[in-house]
Amino acid sequence: MRRLIIGMTGSTGAIFGVRMLEALKATDVESHLIISKWAQRTLEHETRYRVEQVRGLATVVHSPGDMGASISSGSFRTEGMVVIPCSVRTLGCIANGYGEHLVHRAADVIVKERRRLVLVVRETPLSEVHL
């Protein structure tokens, strides 16, 4: 079975993460979801979805605080990871190897294992620091 990790962080555009999960549900891909604390707040603010509904779209749901989750190990084989939406803070943490929660840690493993990592950064305008 093919596996894909989906991370949702607190940037605007939570609906994109929901739509990604809906699309994956119609495939044979096993989806592993992490919704950060701020993604949960943004989801409820921006959409009519409840966190429980979004979790129900994934095959497996991981707690953002569970740094020992299966997806935090390179031996857990995946096609890669999509962080959708991706906050600039999450981008910075991933780029600098700072693993504050499971979204960061899982992305770090994906990079280490040279698997595909897609970051859907939604914050604009970007400053020189972001770039």
Side-chain angles (χ1 to χ4, degrees):
M1 172 167 286
R2 297 182 318 161
R3 297 174 173 150
L4 187 64
I5 302 168
I6 305 298
M8 292 179 67
T9 63
S11 181
T12 187
I15 194 65
F16 294 116
V18 174
R19 295 291 183 253
M20 177 85 176
L21 288 165
E22 289 173 340
L24 287 173
K25 193 146 180 88
T27 70
D28 65 342
V29 175
E30 181 180 279
S31 59
H32 288 256
L33 174 65
I34 316 146
I35 305 177
S36 75
K37 173 182 73 171
W38 290 110
Q40 292 177 36
R41 300 246 340 242
T42 303
L43 176 75
E44 292 174 349
H45 179 73
E46 289 184 345
T47 74
R48 290 182 276 170
Y49 287 89
R50 293 184 328 277
V51 173
E52 297 76 26
Q53 288 175 292
V54 175
R55 287 181 179 144
L57 295 171
T59 310
V60 179
V61 178
H62 300 275
S63 169
D66 185 6
M67 298 295 270
S70 58
I71 61 175
S72 69
S73 171
S75 63
F76 187 82
R77 301 291 299 167
T78 68
E79 299 296 315
M81 180 175 183
V82 179
V83 182
I84 181 169
C86 181
S87 67
V88 170
R89 176 175 174 240
T90 296
L91 170 67
C93 286
I94 293 168
N96 291 289
Y98 180 70
E100 186 176 315
H101 56 66
L102 187 57
V103 173
H104 305 153
R105 172 66 185 145
D108 183 52
V109 170
I110 292 297
V111 171
K112 174 181 68 89
E113 296 295 325
R114 302 205 185 286
R115 297 181 186 139
R116 293 181 186 107
L117 176 63
V118 176
L119 304 178
V120 182
V121 179
R122 294 278 304 147
E123 294 178 21
T124 58
L126 295 172
S127 73
E128 290 79 9
V129 171
H130 299 142
L131 296 173

